Coordinates of all heavy atoms in Angstrom, one line a residue:
M74 N -62.3 3.9 99.7 CA -61.8 4.8 100.8 C -60.5 5.4 100.3 O -60.2 6.6 100.5 CB -61.5 3.9 102.0 CG -60.9 4.7 103.1 SD -62.1 5.9 103.8 CE -61.2 6.5 105.1
R75 N -59.7 4.6 99.6 CA -58.4 5.2 99.1 C -58.6 6.3 98.1 O -57.8 7.3 98.2 CB -57.6 4.0 98.4 CG -56.2 4.5 98.0 CD -55.4 3.4 97.4 NE -54.1 3.8 97.0 CZ -53.8 4.3 95.8 NH1 -54.7 4.4 94.9 NH2 -52.5 4.6 95.6
S76 N -59.6 6.2 97.3 CA -59.8 7.3 96.3 C -60.2 8.6 97.0 O -59.9 9.7 96.5 CB -60.9 6.9 95.3 OG -62.1 6.6 95.9
A77 N -61.0 8.5 98.1 CA -61.4 9.7 98.8 C -60.1 10.4 99.5 O -60.0 11.6 99.5 CB -62.4 9.4 99.9
V78 N -59.2 9.5 100.0 CA -58.0 10.1 100.6 C -57.2 10.8 99.5 O -56.6 11.9 99.7 CB -57.2 9.0 101.3 CG1 -55.9 9.4 101.7 CG2 -58.0 8.4 102.5
V79 N -57.1 10.1 98.4 CA -56.3 10.7 97.3 C -56.9 12.1 96.8 O -56.2 13.1 96.7 CB -56.2 9.8 96.1 CG1 -55.6 10.4 94.8 CG2 -55.4 8.5 96.4
F80 N -58.2 12.1 96.7 CA -58.9 13.3 96.3 C -58.7 14.4 97.3 O -58.3 15.5 96.9 CB -60.4 13.0 96.1 CG -61.2 14.3 95.9 CD1 -61.2 15.0 94.7 CD2 -62.0 14.8 97.0 CE1 -61.9 16.1 94.6 CE2 -62.7 16.0 96.8 CZ -62.7 16.7 95.6
F81 N -58.9 14.2 98.6 CA -58.8 15.2 99.6 C -57.3 15.7 99.7 O -57.1 16.9 99.9 CB -59.4 14.8 100.9 CG -60.9 14.8 100.9 CD1 -61.6 13.7 101.0 CD2 -61.6 16.0 100.8 CE1 -63.0 13.7 101.0 CE2 -63.0 16.1 100.8 CZ -63.7 14.9 100.9
S82 N -56.4 14.8 99.6 CA -55.0 15.1 99.8 C -54.5 16.0 98.6 O -53.9 17.0 98.7 CB -54.1 13.9 99.8 OG -54.5 13.1 100.9
L83 N -54.9 15.5 97.4 CA -54.5 16.3 96.2 C -55.2 17.6 96.1 O -54.5 18.6 95.8 CB -54.9 15.5 94.9 CG -54.2 15.9 93.6 CD1 -52.7 15.9 93.7 CD2 -54.7 14.9 92.5
T84 N -56.4 17.7 96.5 CA -57.2 19.0 96.6 C -56.5 19.9 97.5 O -56.3 21.1 97.2 CB -58.6 18.7 96.9 OG1 -59.2 17.9 95.9 CG2 -59.4 20.0 97.0
Y85 N -56.2 19.4 98.7 CA -55.6 20.3 99.7 C -54.2 20.8 99.3 O -53.9 22.0 99.3 CB -55.4 19.5 101.0 CG -54.7 20.3 102.1 CD1 -55.5 21.2 102.9 CD2 -53.4 20.2 102.4 CE1 -54.9 21.9 103.9 CE2 -52.8 20.9 103.4 CZ -53.5 21.8 104.1 OH -52.9 22.5 105.1
L86 N -53.4 19.9 98.7 CA -52.0 20.3 98.3 C -52.1 21.4 97.2 O -51.4 22.4 97.2 CB -51.2 19.1 97.9 CG -50.8 18.2 99.0 CD1 -50.2 16.9 98.4 CD2 -49.8 18.9 99.9
V87 N -52.9 21.1 96.2 CA -53.0 22.0 95.0 C -53.6 23.3 95.4 O -53.1 24.4 95.0 CB -53.8 21.3 93.8 CG1 -54.0 22.3 92.7 CG2 -53.0 20.1 93.4
S88 N -54.7 23.3 96.1 CA -55.4 24.6 96.5 C -54.5 25.4 97.4 O -54.4 26.6 97.2 CB -56.8 24.3 97.1 OG -56.6 23.6 98.3
R89 N -53.9 24.8 98.3 CA -53.0 25.5 99.2 C -51.8 26.1 98.5 O -51.3 27.2 98.9 CB -52.5 24.7 100.4 CG -53.6 24.3 101.4 CD -54.2 25.5 102.0 NE -55.5 25.2 102.6 CZ -56.3 26.1 103.1 NH1 -56.0 27.3 103.1 NH2 -57.4 25.7 103.7
S90 N -51.3 25.4 97.5 CA -50.3 26.0 96.6 C -50.7 27.3 95.9 O -50.0 28.3 95.9 CB -49.8 25.0 95.6 OG -49.3 23.8 96.3
F91 N -51.9 27.2 95.4 CA -52.4 28.4 94.7 C -52.6 29.6 95.7 O -52.3 30.7 95.5 CB -53.8 28.1 94.0 CG -53.6 27.4 92.7 CD1 -54.4 26.3 92.5 CD2 -52.7 27.8 91.8 CE1 -54.3 25.5 91.3 CE2 -52.6 27.1 90.6 CZ -53.4 25.9 90.3
F92 N -53.2 29.2 96.9 CA -53.4 30.3 97.9 C -52.1 30.8 98.4 O -52.0 32.0 98.7 CB -54.3 29.7 99.1 CG -55.7 29.4 98.7 CD1 -56.3 28.3 99.2 CD2 -56.4 30.1 97.7 CE1 -57.7 28.0 98.9 CE2 -57.7 29.8 97.4 CZ -58.3 28.7 97.9
A93 N -51.1 30.0 98.6 CA -49.8 30.5 99.1 C -49.2 31.4 98.1 O -48.6 32.4 98.4 CB -48.9 29.3 99.5
A94 N -49.3 31.0 96.8 CA -48.7 31.8 95.8 C -49.4 33.2 95.7 O -48.7 34.2 95.6 CB -48.8 31.1 94.4
A95 N -50.7 33.2 95.8 CA -51.4 34.4 95.8 C -51.0 35.3 97.0 O -50.9 36.5 96.9 CB -52.9 34.2 95.8
A96 N -50.9 34.7 98.2 CA -50.5 35.4 99.4 C -49.1 36.0 99.2 O -48.8 37.1 99.6 CB -50.6 34.6 100.6
A97 N -48.2 35.2 98.6 CA -46.8 35.7 98.4 C -46.8 36.9 97.4 O -46.0 37.8 97.6 CB -45.9 34.5 97.9
I98 N -47.6 36.8 96.4 CA -47.6 37.9 95.4 C -48.1 39.2 96.1 O -47.6 40.3 95.9 CB -48.5 37.5 94.2 CG1 -47.7 36.5 93.4 CG2 -48.8 38.7 93.4 CD1 -48.5 35.9 92.2
S99 N -49.2 39.0 96.9 CA -49.8 40.2 97.5 C -49.1 40.6 98.8 O -49.6 41.5 99.5 CB -51.3 40.0 97.7 OG -51.5 39.0 98.6
D100 N -48.1 39.9 99.2 CA -47.4 40.1 100.5 C -48.3 39.9 101.7 O -48.1 40.6 102.7 CB -46.7 41.5 100.6 CG -45.6 41.6 99.6 OD1 -44.9 40.6 99.4 OD2 -45.3 42.7 99.1
G101 N -49.3 39.1 101.5 CA -50.2 38.8 102.6 C -51.2 39.9 102.9 O -52.0 39.8 103.9
T102 N -51.3 41.0 102.1 CA -52.3 42.0 102.4 C -53.2 42.2 101.2 O -52.8 42.0 100.0 CB -51.6 43.4 102.6 OG1 -50.8 43.7 101.5 CG2 -50.6 43.3 103.8
A103 N -54.4 42.5 101.5 CA -55.4 42.7 100.4 C -55.6 44.2 100.1 O -56.3 44.5 99.1 CB -56.7 42.0 100.7
S104 N -55.0 45.0 100.9 CA -55.3 46.5 100.7 C -54.4 47.2 99.8 O -54.7 48.3 99.3 CB -55.3 47.1 102.1 OG -54.0 47.0 102.6
Q105 N -53.2 46.6 99.5 CA -52.2 47.3 98.6 C -52.4 46.9 97.2 O -52.0 45.8 96.8 CB -50.8 47.1 99.1 CG -50.5 47.6 100.5 CD -49.1 47.2 100.9 OE1 -48.4 46.5 100.2 NE2 -48.7 47.8 102.0
P106 N -52.9 47.8 96.3 CA -53.0 47.4 94.9 C -51.6 47.4 94.3 O -50.8 48.3 94.6 CB -53.9 48.5 94.3 CG -53.9 49.6 95.2 CD -53.5 49.1 96.6
S107 N -51.4 46.4 93.4 CA -50.1 46.4 92.7 C -50.4 45.9 91.3 O -51.5 45.5 90.9 CB -49.1 45.5 93.4 OG -49.6 44.1 93.3
G108 N -49.4 45.9 90.5 CA -49.5 45.4 89.1 C -49.8 43.9 89.0 O -50.2 43.4 88.0
L109 N -49.5 43.2 90.1 CA -49.7 41.8 90.1 C -51.0 41.3 90.7 O -51.3 40.2 90.9 CB -48.6 41.1 90.9 CG -47.2 41.3 90.4 CD1 -46.1 40.7 91.3 CD2 -47.1 40.7 89.0

C-alpha cells in the first residue's frame, strides 16, 4: 500500500510541476505562438 501512495504522490507532484511550468511559459494560453 505504501508503494502505491509513493507512486501516485510522486507522479502527481512531478507531472503537475511540468504542466505548471508549461502553463507559465505559454502564459496559460495555447493560441499565442512564441519562441518558447
Side-chain angles (χ1 to χ4, degrees):
M74 179 68 174
R75 182 177 184 269
S76 59
V78 171
V79 170
F80 170 75
F81 285 113
S82 299
L83 196 56
T84 298
Y85 180 80
L86 290 172
V87 173
S88 65
R89 291 299 165 187
S90 298
F91 285 131
F92 293 145
I98 287 173
S99 65
D100 291 328
T102 62
S104 62
Q105 295 178 352
S107 69
L109 298 175

